[in-house]
Amino acid sequence: MSQVKEDLYQNGLQRQYSGKAEAAAFLLGGIGTGNVSIGSRGDFRDWEIFNHPGKGATLPNTYFSIFAQAEGEEPVVKVLESKLNPPYTRAHGYPPGTAAGLPRMEKSTLRGEYPFVSVQFEDKDLPVDVKLEAFTPFVPLNPDDSGIPGAYITYKVTNTTSVPVKVSIAGSIINPIGATFDQIGNLQIQKCSQNSNLFKQESELSGLILQSTKFEETEREYGNIALTTTNPHTTYKRAWLRGAWFDHLHEFWDDFSENGMLTDLQYDTPANDEATDTGTLGVYETVLPGETKEMNFMLTWYFPNRLNGWSEWIKVKEEGRELIKNYYTNHFDSAWAVAQYLVNNKERLTKKSQSFQQALFNSSLPYYVIDAIASNITVLRSTTCFWLKDGRFLGYEGCQDDWGCCDGNCTHVWNYAQTLAFLFPTLEQNMRETEFLEETTDDGKMNFRAMQMFDSQWMFGSNPAEAAADGQMGTIMRVYREWKLTGDDEFLRRVWPAMKNSLKYALLQWDTDDDLVFDGKQHNTYDIEFYGPNPLTGVFFLGALRAAEEIAKYLGEEETANIYRTVFEKSAKRLEELTWNGEYYIQQLDDVDQYKYQHGMGCLSDQLLGQQLAHLFGLGYLLPEEHVKKAVYSIYKYNFKEDFSKHANPQRTYVLNDEKGLLLCSWPNGGRPKLPFVYSDEVWTGIEYHVATHLIYEGFIEEGLTIVKAVRDRHDGIRRNPWNEVECGHHYARSMSSWGVLIALSGFEFDMTRNEIKFNPRINQDDFTTFWSTGKAWGTYTQKKNINGEWDTAVKVLYGDAAGITVHACGKKWTIE
Amino acid sequence: MSQVKEDLYQNGLQRQYSGKAEAAAFLLGGIGTGNVSIGSRGDFRDWEIFNHPGKGATLPNTYFSIFAQAEGEEPVVKVLESKLNPPYTRAHGYPPGTAAGLPRMEKSTLRGEYPFVSVQFEDKDLPVDVKLEAFTPFVPLNPDDSGIPGAYITYKVTNTTSVPVKVSIAGSIINPIGATFDQIGNLQIQKCSQNSNLFKQESELSGLILQSTKFEETEREYGNIALTTTNPHTTYKRAWLRGAWFDHLHEFWDDFSENGMLTDLQYDTPANDEATDTGTLGVYETVLPGETKEMNFMLTWYFPNRLNGWSEWIKVKEEGRELIKNYYTNHFDSAWAVAQYLVNNKERLTKKSQSFQQALFNSSLPYYVIDAIASNITVLRSTTCFWLKDGRFLGYEGCQDDWGCCDGNCTHVWNYAQTLAFLFPTLEQNMRETEFLEETTDDGKMNFRAMQMFDSQWMFGSNPAEAAADGQMGTIMRVYREWKLTGDDEFLRRVWPAMKNSLKYALLQWDTDDDLVFDGKQHNTYDIEFYGPNPLTGVFFLGALRAAEEIAKYLGEEETANIYRTVFEKSAKRLEELTWNGEYYIQQLDDVDQYKYQHGMGCLSDQLLGQQLAHLFGLGYLLPEEHVKKAVYSIYKYNFKEDFSKHANPQRTYVLNDEKGLLLCSWPNGGRPKLPFVYSDEVWTGIEYHVATHLIYEGFIEEGLTIVKAVRDRHDGIRRNPWNEVECGHHYARSMSSWGVLIALSGFEFDMTRNEIKFNPRINQDDFTTFWSTGKAWGTYTQKKNINGEWDTAVKVLYGDAAGITVHACGKKWTIE
């Protein structure tokens, strides 16, 4: 095996990111809460806690600082961020709000194993070693405890000298209530009014509450932020000097630098209108030689009211209903209450979060595969998703810098995503219910962007948009997944009638010549329409039929099942005849330029997406295994490029220069349309992962791993954020297809309707551990070949109730007690 | 001499900037015309031709491309830019307008010797070597020929193979008429209407004219752009495909890639409203092995109408007078006419521009000194300055990204600037006339921001702003400079009465205790007021008195001269008594915290600014030479920092981390105010250069050079743009103090009232060449010690009429014929 190939199987350490890797930003924040990110310099960036995205949104004056004085020495005072990186090209230098002129740490190294992040600082001037650790609780199958609007932020300080060191760590934060951000993320405080910061202490919790008395609880601007601590020795300044010019920072820095203690300036009125205050909470300790002390902070927020809609254009317009509350308001009524919950449940939330992190990161998968799987969890905890008070879970496709981008749980994009279904199946079920119970008409047309909940509908011009063939069929397959993961018959019965209508609609709408293969005008995930028989929608139809057949059987609708079976068989046969070219499946068109934006003879990376889902969900082969294998290998052969320097792509560019990636399409046998379908020259991580997953299923392990590694190599913190795979927006939902790689590599099968799970790992079989999850429980599975050549196997349940589940692995079978 | 010190004297090659040095952007464009910059990747960026700054303003689809096909080989087609640099973190990848997905050049290297720039491309795929050369004519003493709205852009193509190569080079540019830019510089075309591109040919000139028939010639949006060539073999596409999605780029790239020829799509109507067209002009040649061919392009523009004011708030409000025309409209009526002028005068404009560039860059000054002197010429050809049809020359302090920043020929900022005065003295005289003839009241108060020309006045709240003590006194000194540089008595007589009033006002306003030293409330360049005796304004007053004394004598006003002499002597003596602390000059205040923002015992870098100007202008010592020497050395000793890592600056940050720079102030003997004057912790290049100049005058050559080198080392293309020194805005006027370093190093003295110039170089005396200029002529001066130990000297006049000027140098004296 070559070195390159061997590397592919490495279960090594996760990457780390120096302070120069400024693209790296690790998201804190829960499901439906918004986020703040920790950058590789240890900086708090991208403030997205205000119910909309905020890439680049900065809060001035907002950072932690350290005062450290070794006995008998001068104090050293620094901002707890490593040095700013070039370029330094602002029109007016760095303003004081950036603290760019203050001394800061020499170096930093960020490490992230979701949901945990750490930043190790280095600085030769300081008499202490400082490490930042932070996380927002994350417990699969427990969305509520994974949806807390806040984070634990701990600074661990170790005395590296031989004398006692007096240490203060002070967190400063500007009060942003009522403020907005401009296009480049600068805070605009013109609408701030009556902002004030309180200091509060209540049993072991103390800290600052940032609030405004201007806004009513029912206003969108209403909210508060708490910066709190459980450390006993605190010092604080509720508001920096309200002066002219740079007085505020002068006074704060001189005050803190003197002895690490803060003087409260005793303002007894709120800040002026069009102004706001910055507050600082400090914690101090004497640290003995060799000793490590923890400075425990919590940052929590409470912005209950969000726009009752997808956007200003697509929202509830009825007066008094323009706003809607976040789910987290079911549990909390203030940022302080969130902090109290974090304090009261710290041990449990920490342990459960660690269980998950360890189960995933200590598994036998290659390090970059774990990275791909774990990093895209962030999508469901990013502003791409939101979660309403009534339990409704919603997702954009991704995010603009400042607003969600492409509305409506888009069926054809979310088709690819697996992460949410495997970790929080109840939320994924909620999406299916929205689709089938609200967005599917009686004649079976499913709006591929869900908007009824906001009294709206997705339009193309002045008409309701057409259905999306791939999205509509994929959604049927995904009901099958949700059902098999949870065994939730009630859920299944609720959506089943609409599913049947949906299949009826599909045949009427898209099979215009009654050969049971789609050939009409087929809108799809490329935002255009395919015409004629083609593998993307054709295979999806087969997958939907198989899923429906199984469900019909289960529900005792034998006749229906038989019809689906018959249609499936005919359709599959016909699709083969029409689209198999000996190497892969093509679109059948007499003249590829008859319509704009077709693929024709092109080798489409998505041609077997439906088949990949069928594998993941346990539906087996939809087309002849031999052809499927050949086709998926052809995709790799023709579409994976080792270097993009010579690739001419007039579309959007996600991969460039000497990077590697998988094209959406190529034309190895010619026949490229004059204007091939939009996106054909692009590279999407969501497609790369599902092709990788599929390659692994078909036995092309190295090819699959090669693709995964290429994706993650591109997200190296210098070029792109490892925790943000972009397509049409940040944290793009499609990237959650990466979870499929875990399922394929572990050979995990699940059927909660029969209480069965199976493992059949495809790599490192002799000593293999993996994370697994169903709607009932999650944990680890381990198999090892012992010295007698026999298999030692173990399933560990780390959360939930798996009692009665039968495990099949290594030719054995046992039931969890 | 140590290596470090030896390096300081190096007359080496200018720096060059790889494509990774993305901060580097070389400005094309003339005086008062706006600019477009060439970036280090060979990209055209920062479109500032629309009568306002545009840092970051991008024109989509706007780049040159090359098609090159060696006989018998496949063609190679690339964008003529080197590769894009990370990060690649946009929310939606790169849109097609960036052409990020097209193949481009492997590497590039930018070199700039103002006004000439070149970009050498490297690419192993191409059968030719390609170099871009560009410049906008620049001829000191000829502002009109230095104020042409356009540039020559030449691609030199050398065949590096052994077979003929067919080469096309095509320049594409979007028609931006009527468009605007958003905050991040993206073009917004919602207001575009009736845009169309014409192809025109007229004798040897042919090319595209980008225009709109929507706007009247009197509207602010009115204007046109021409991309032209004098090469005979042209091909063009007036408009890219007007399609959906990415059709435009698909069609253009496929068309050009096929054979290097362009197909015009024959649209016979303008673009739709809210849309615009991109046009492409190509030039093709067959290049034989070893042969080099030039593809000569010109980019010219004509946007005649600008806001009749400094800003939307400070402008002429009378209906019908809201707009005013640019100076260049005196010579041109269209971008096509500009191109014609460039064609018709190419040889002359090129030669004169080269004369200047060679005179400056082939001089004996250290390479980084030349760099500092030459690079800041860009200020007067940037959007910091503008030039109106009536000849009025105006300057902001600098520029925001999208608008001028700080209005009004600000006297206290322009105090430091030398470049304009020495290269275009008539424009500098115009500024003095504005100040004295329009902005000085009868009682002698000078508004330090000129706004009368726009029917406005600079206010602090609801009152006219106070005068600036440093600005008002410096302006008097600068009249002296303008007069001595030009010998223009008429100019002198015009402004002289107001100058006398100004001095009267100064004594009444700022000397409250009649000891002839300023001690009142003294507004100054730090945007705050000093109180009490202080060196900044005190020395400026001395300089103004000396200048006035000399002028009065010259004009035969002996009595006035005597009064100024007497006041000078008493004031100087008293200032010494009040402010000399044995090491440097301090501010005399009983309680430094009595007023906010003082410097007190601090060592102010600007304490001898007036003295520096006195040296530059030939006014001699204003204070005891010994103290001046000691003080200027103290400034270096206390304020120059080799490393800013530990410097705590709560103000704006221009220098950071391990960079070197000169602080505005420090408190070596304690006494730092609680809130020291704003800007005290900052570093401004304009001050660094004047202190460097002064150090050189006082014999501290190495210290002066060390400062200059520190500034330029910070502007390395990675961290900052070498052609843009920022303070409160881009291209900050104060940075033009760098020209003083040339005057000091060459020991240049000038007195056109007596037709005398003198040289007394302070470095490399044995073999020394320098550029020199007065209001009458410019050229070079050379001195060499020959083998007999005697001086060979030569003055070369390269422009203007120097006949009759007497030269003093090397103990010799001769008259130019």
Side-chain angles (χ1 to χ4, degrees), chain A residues 232-386:
Chain A
H233 307 302
T234 61
T235 177
Y236 63 88
K237 188 191 288 285
R238 286 172 303 151
W240 289 9
L241 185 62
R242 296 173 181 169
W245 292 98
F246 318 130
D247 296 357
H248 54 294
L249 185 53
H250 262 290
E251 199 278 339
F252 160 65
W253 196 252
D254 287 352
D255 182 24
F256 184 61
S257 297
E258 198 186 345
N259 57 9
M261 302 298 287
L262 297 163
T263 312
D264 190 79
L265 297 173
Q266 303 294 333
Y267 294 118
D268 55 7
T269 54
N272 285 337
D273 283 359
E274 300 182 41
T276 190
D277 283 332
T278 297
T280 305
L281 173 68
V283 161
Y284 58 93
E285 292 281 358
T286 297
V287 189
L288 300 177
E291 192 184 17
T292 296
K293 282 206 170 156
E294 290 195 3
M295 317 297 217
N296 294 305
F297 293 90
M298 282 159 295
L299 176 70
T300 55
W301 58 87
Y302 181 77
F303 291 95
N305 306 316
R306 56 178 297 138
L307 180 76
N308 195 358
W310 290 103
S311 69
E312 292 294 345
W313 303 270
I314 299 162
K315 65 176 179 185
V316 171
K317 291 175 183 76
E318 191 186 325
E319 208 176 329
R321 280 188 61 216
E322 300 90 346
L323 297 183
I324 195 163
K325 289 202 183 296
N326 282 313
Y327 182 83
Y328 66 69
T329 60
N330 289 314
H331 300 302
F332 307 113
D333 62 4
S334 69
W336 184 265
V338 178
Q340 281 178 316
Y341 187 81
L342 285 181
V343 171
N344 296 338
N345 297 274
K346 184 168 184 179
E347 193 185 334
R348 180 177 64 82
L349 294 171
T350 305
K351 278 197 178 158
K352 286 297 165 195
S353 300
Q354 283 171 342
S355 284
F356 168 74
Q357 172 252 333
Q358 287 164 9
L360 185 57
F361 284 85
N362 295 343
S363 73
S364 310
L365 306 183
Y367 67 95
Y368 57 87
V369 170
I370 296 173
D371 184 34
I373 292 164
S375 298
N376 289 316
I377 295 172
T378 49
V379 176
L380 63 94
R381 298 228 292 183
S382 75
T383 49
T384 292
C385 300
F386 53 107

Side-chain angles (χ1 to χ4, degrees), chain A residues 23 78 83-96 98-104 106 125 182-184 186 241 243-247 249-251 253-254 399-401 405 526-528 596-597 644-654 656-659 672 674-682 718-721 726-730, chain B residues 23 78 83-96 98-104 106 125 182-184 186 241 243-247 249-251 253-254 399-401 405 526-528 596-597 644-654 656-659 672 674-682 718-721 726-730:
Chain A
K78 304 221 169 193
K83 295 188 181 304
L84 295 169
N85 297 305
Y88 314 130
T89 48
R90 293 170 180 225
H92 289 70
Y94 288 93
T98 63
L102 298 180
R104 54 192 62 219
E106 200 68 38
D125 297 336
D182 69 9
Q183 200 186 358
I184 53 177
N186 289 325
L241 185 62
W245 292 98
F246 318 130
D247 296 357
L249 185 53
H250 262 290
E251 199 278 339
W253 196 252
D254 287 352
C399 294
Q400 307 264 18
D401 287 346
C405 180
Y526 313 122
D527 299 327
I528 47 81
K596 265 182 170 181
Y597 311 133
F644 272 70
S645 299
K646 297 185 186 177
H647 176 61
N649 164 22
Q651 308 182 344
R652 299 171 307 178
T653 302
Y654 298 105
L656 63 165
N657 300 343
D658 60 353
E659 296 183 313
R672 180 178 165 97
K674 274 189 193 151
L675 293 170
F677 75 95
V678 283
Y679 312 144
S680 60
D681 285 322
E682 301 182 2
I718 299 285
R719 293 177 286 187
R720 300 177 186 81
N721 184 0
V726 162
E727 190 193 307
C728 188
H730 298 287
Chain B
K78 302 221 170 193
K83 294 189 184 303
L84 296 169
N85 297 305
Y88 315 131
T89 47
R90 295 171 179 226
H92 290 71
Y94 289 94
T98 63
L102 298 179
R104 54 193 61 218
E106 198 69 38
D125 297 336
D182 69 9
Q183 199 187 358
I184 53 176
N186 289 326
L241 184 62
W245 292 98
F246 318 129
D247 296 358
L249 186 55
H250 262 290
E251 197 279 337
W253 196 251
D254 287 352
C399 294
Q400 306 266 18
D401 287 345
C405 178
Y526 313 121
D527 299 327
I528 47 80
K596 265 183 171 182
Y597 312 134
F644 273 68
S645 298
K646 296 184 187 178
H647 176 59
N649 165 21
Q651 308 181 346
R652 299 171 307 178
T653 301
Y654 297 106
L656 62 164
N657 298 344
D658 60 352
E659 296 184 312
R672 180 180 166 97
K674 273 189 194 152
L675 293 170
F677 75 94
V678 283
Y679 310 147
S680 59
D681 285 321
E682 300 183 2
I718 300 284
R719 290 176 288 187
R720 299 177 186 82
N721 183 359
V726 162
E727 190 191 307
C728 188
H730 299 287

Side-chain angles (χ1 to χ4, degrees), chain A residues 408-690:
Chain A
N409 288 5
C410 178
T411 59
H412 58 64
V413 169
W414 281 80
N415 251 349
Y416 299 69
Q418 304 301 333
T419 311
L420 184 69
F422 281 88
L423 295 180
F424 301 99
T426 55
L427 301 182
E428 186 82 39
Q429 282 177 300
N430 180 271
M431 297 177 88
R432 291 304 82 71
E433 293 187 339
T434 296
E435 289 149 2
F436 283 106
L437 303 185
E438 298 178 10
E439 298 289 346
T440 302
T441 60
D442 288 346
D443 62 0
K445 180 196 167 198
M446 176 184 287
N447 299 309
F448 70 85
R449 296 190 189 279
M451 300 184 170
Q452 305 281 348
M453 74 290 284
F454 299 133
D455 297 351
S456 191
Q457 188 176 8
W458 180 236
M459 309 291 280
F460 272 12
S462 54
N463 298 315
E466 293 184 38
D470 53 349
Q472 183 151 341
M473 295 300 95
T475 305
I476 291 171
M477 296 184 76
R478 290 188 284 150
V479 167
Y480 183 81
R481 173 188 62 192
E482 274 57 278
W483 170 54
K484 288 287 180 180
L485 271 171
T486 59
D488 187 343
D489 286 359
E490 283 178 34
F491 158 76
L492 185 69
R493 288 180 202 279
R494 279 199 297 278
V495 296
W496 174 238
M499 289 170 71
K500 287 188 287 188
N501 286 342
S502 172
L503 273 168
K504 252 188 241 159
Y505 176 88
L507 264 183
L508 283 169
Q509 180 73 10
W510 292 309
D511 172 21
T512 65
D513 58 1
D514 295 333
D515 67 350
L516 305 180
V517 167
F518 290 2
D519 56 12
K521 181 182 178 192
Q522 301 151 66
H523 189 77
N524 59 55
T525 202
Y526 313 122
D527 299 327
I528 47 81
E529 287 81 33
F530 280 165
Y531 294 83
N534 71 87
L536 173 65
T537 60
V539 177
F540 255 124
F541 183 45
L542 298 179
L545 288 165
R546 282 284 297 113
E549 178 196 347
E550 295 295 330
I551 292 168
K553 261 193 235 166
Y554 180 85
L555 294 176
E557 301 182 16
E558 283 301 327
E559 196 181 340
T560 310
N562 285 337
I563 292 169
Y564 290 149
R565 182 77 214 171
T566 308
V567 174
F568 167 78
E569 281 168 2
K570 288 186 179 168
S571 179
K573 183 159 173 290
R574 182 69 181 144
L575 189 68
E576 272 287 313
E577 290 165 6
L578 287 166
T579 64
W580 177 247
N581 80 346
E583 272 193 306
Y584 54 85
Y585 293 92
I586 60 169
Q587 179 189 22
Q588 194 56 252
L589 280 174
D590 290 340
D591 173 7
V592 76
D593 288 321
Q594 182 183 351
Y595 305 98
K596 265 182 170 181
Y597 311 133
Q598 306 302 300
H599 74 87
M601 287 165 64
C603 179
L604 186 73
S605 282
D606 267 344
Q607 64 187 275
L608 291 171
L609 173 59
Q611 176 63 73
Q612 187 250 174
L613 295 180
H615 284 326
L616 281 174
F617 306 165
L619 285 164
Y621 281 95
L622 307 174
L623 289 165
E625 179 172 349
E626 192 195 341
H627 289 184
V628 168
K629 280 192 158 48
K630 200 162 186 181
V632 78
Y633 187 78
S634 295
I635 293 170
Y636 178 79
K637 178 177 164 189
Y638 293 126
N639 295 356
F640 185 72
K641 291 182 77 73
E642 295 274 346
D643 187 314
F644 272 70
S645 299
K646 297 185 186 177
H647 176 61
N649 164 22
Q651 308 182 344
R652 299 171 307 178
T653 302
Y654 298 105
V655 175
L656 63 165
N657 300 343
D658 60 353
E659 296 183 313
K660 301 174 171 57
L662 184 85
L663 284 170
L664 260 65
C665 195
S666 70
W667 284 265
N669 307 309
R672 180 178 165 97
K674 274 189 193 151
L675 293 170
F677 75 95
V678 283
Y679 312 144
S680 60
D681 285 322
E682 301 182 2
V683 176
W684 297 351
T685 70
I687 290 180
E688 290 177 290
Y689 289 131
H690 91 68

Side-chain angles (χ1 to χ4, degrees), chain B residues 2 20 89-90 170 208 240 256-257 270 286 294 387 407 413 448 475 492 594 603 677 759 767 782 787:
Chain B
S2 73
K20 299 201 182 302
T89 47
R90 295 171 179 226
L208 296 176
W240 289 8
F256 184 62
S257 297
T286 297
E294 289 193 5
W387 192 16
D407 316 303
V413 169
F448 69 86
T475 307
L492 186 69
Q594 182 184 353
C603 178
F677 75 94
F759 297 94
D767 184 355
T782 302
I787 45 169

Side-chain angles (χ1 to χ4, degrees), chain B residues 357-376:
Chain B
Q357 172 250 332
Q358 286 163 10
L360 184 58
F361 284 86
N362 295 343
S363 73
S364 309
L365 306 183
Y367 67 95
Y368 58 88
V369 170
I370 297 173
D371 183 34
I373 292 163
S375 297
N376 288 317

